[in-house]
Amino acid sequence: MRQPRVTAEDSASTPGPPVPDTQGDVGSPEHGSDGESTGTVVLAGLANLGIAIAKLVGGLISHSSAMLSEAAHSLADTITEVLLFIALKRGNKPADDRHPFGYGRETYFWAFMASLCTFALGAGFSIWQGISTIVHGEEQGDPLISYIVLAVAFVLEGSSLFKAVRQVRGAARRWRVSPARYLQATTDTTVKAVTFEDSAALVGLVLAALGLFLEQLTGDPAWDGAAAITIGLLLLAVAYALARANVSLLIGQSASQRIEDELRTEITALPHVDSVPFLITSVIGPGQLVVAAKVDFADDATADDIEQPSDGAERRLVARHEGVRYVFLDPTAGDDRARMQSHDADGAPRD
């Protein structure tokens, strides 16, 4: 029997609303989200570039480690947005002969590189600058310019975060989940990265202002250094969370158990299908899934009886689960033979 295959073009032309009975799970693409994500990334990048320059000027005038750390933070965020922009463009390339599933996972590679940038440049410089200030001290300058820069940066970062949050809330409403649940489960790591980084930026601005104020109040530069170290630790946490999410998706993360159960139910409901003893899914890009299943057909099913439900599976899964891009069904006996065979490191099969 031929293996059914659903192409991205087929799924895009198949009518069907967002899956209403997958409440609590996020795994399908939101139509038009690519353009919205691109706008979110571009706005965040432009804002961060201007903020980085302003913070650098403020830090040099005030001799503040926290301000210089914030400048490094914003520079890292700017580079991150450039990498995320590349991720969006590269990930949307159409499938070709060498990459039959498309380039969706390349999105996660560039997003992972962005998290490394945050880790190395933002967090590393901030922690080093903070420790250096505590150990060696610093000459205090006029903090007024730094307070002005921090206030302007707070407004700009807030506007960028507002756009990202609006996109998250809109997507969460469509999926009937909370924004926090959406951010946890979504495979659109670009909007997740912008939301996390802008949130961390606002917290970092507050920490920098607090360090400046306490240094001005006490005359002790250790407060400014402590603020820089805290900003670095905050960036470490953000970089770790984003890197972990992207590595999982880059390797080939499955859909949630609930979505897999629903896919299994859909296939089991097809005519002449007794059971689906084995089913796997894999995320191949933001909101894109591959579905592969071993299907136990009725013993008296003819070749036509098997082929017709297989064609029906293509239409049913794509119509009800718009994230499905490819479907592969394999007729099999409903016993232990349906188990996926494992292999040793040298490729030899084993029980």
Side-chain angles (χ1 to χ4, degrees):
M1 184 194 120
R2 72 178 179 88
Q3 290 180 325
R5 171 172 173 170
V6 181
T7 66
E9 290 77 11
D10 294 334
S11 63
S13 62
T14 305
V19 189
D21 48 339
T22 55
Q23 183 174 357
D25 292 310
V26 180
S28 297
E30 297 86 24
H31 295 303
S33 64
D34 288 340
E36 192 174 5
S37 295
T38 301
T40 300
V41 168
V42 170
L43 176 62
L46 293 175
N48 283 321
L49 179 59
I51 291 169
I53 296 173
K55 286 177 180 177
L56 177 61
V57 173
L60 292 174
I61 293 176
S62 64
H63 305 288
S64 168
S65 295
M67 281 298 296
L68 293 176
S69 297
E70 275 297 296
H73 179 179
S74 293
L75 178 59
D77 284 351
T78 302
I79 298 174
T80 292
E81 306 309 334
V82 173
L83 294 174
L84 292 178
F85 183 80
I86 294 173
L88 286 170
K89 297 306 178 184
R90 296 283 298 177
N92 286 331
K93 290 175 59 179
D96 54 37
D97 291 339
R98 289 184 59 84
H99 302 88
F101 290 153
Y103 290 78
R105 283 185 182 167
E106 190 170 352
T107 301
Y108 306 131
F109 169 77
W110 290 106
F112 177 73
M113 296 299 292
S115 65
L116 292 183
C117 174
T118 300
F119 170 80
L121 181 57
F125 180 83
S126 296
I127 293 175
W128 172 81
Q129 186 71 27
I131 293 175
S132 177
T133 297
I134 292 176
V135 173
H136 303 293
E138 66 182 6
E139 178 186 354
Q140 295 187 30
D142 184 4
L144 179 59
I145 186 65
S146 292
Y147 288 129
I148 295 174
V149 169
L150 289 173
V152 173
F154 195 92
V155 174
L156 294 176
E157 293 281 10
S159 64
S160 176
L161 178 62
F162 176 78
K163 178 173 175 58
V165 169
R166 185 173 59 182
Q167 181 179 351
V168 169
R169 286 179 175 175
R173 281 195 299 269
R174 288 193 292 272
W175 283 100
R176 295 184 296 163
V177 296
S178 67
R181 170 60 181 159
Y182 176 82
L183 280 175
Q184 178 186 6
T186 183
T187 57
D188 185 356
T189 57
T190 53
V191 69
K192 179 187 292 188
V194 172
T195 304
F196 281 19
E197 289 169 356
D198 284 349
S199 299
L202 292 179
V203 175
L205 291 171
V206 173
L207 291 172
L210 183 61
L212 274 173
F213 174 74
L214 291 175
E215 180 187 13
Q216 185 181 11
L217 187 66
T218 65
D220 186 356
W223 289 108
D224 189 47
I229 292 175
T230 307
I231 291 170
L233 295 176
L234 175 66
L235 292 177
L236 275 180
V238 172
Y240 173 77
L242 293 176
R244 183 178 180 183
N246 283 298
V247 165
S248 178
L249 290 164
L250 188 59
I251 293 172
Q253 181 176 297
S254 66
S256 70
Q257 186 62 49
R258 180 167 183 169
I259 288 180
E260 288 193 347
D261 289 344
E262 290 181 353
L263 292 169
R264 187 189 302 272
T265 300
E266 294 285 347
I267 298 174
T268 304
L270 294 170
H272 308 290
V273 174
D274 286 344
S275 65
V276 181
F278 184 80
L279 181 143
I280 59 172
T281 60
S282 181
V283 175
I284 58 172
Q288 301 177 29
L289 289 177
V290 168
V291 181
K294 291 182 178 292
V295 180
D296 179 26
F297 287 92
D299 293 336
D300 58 352
T302 66
D304 289 340
D305 291 336
I306 293 176
E307 186 166 349
Q308 290 175 4
S310 299
D311 291 337
E314 296 179 1
R315 294 188 295 270
R316 178 176 297 206
L317 294 184
V318 171
R320 293 184 60 81
H321 301 268
E322 57 182 343
V324 174
R325 290 293 180 268
Y326 300 88
V327 178
F328 301 95
L329 301 184
D330 178 23
T332 188
D335 53 25
D336 287 342
R337 284 175 291 173
R339 226 171 9 96
M340 173 172 277
Q341 194 176 42
S342 59
H343 292 74
D344 289 320
D346 60 359
R350 60 180 173 84
D351 293 331

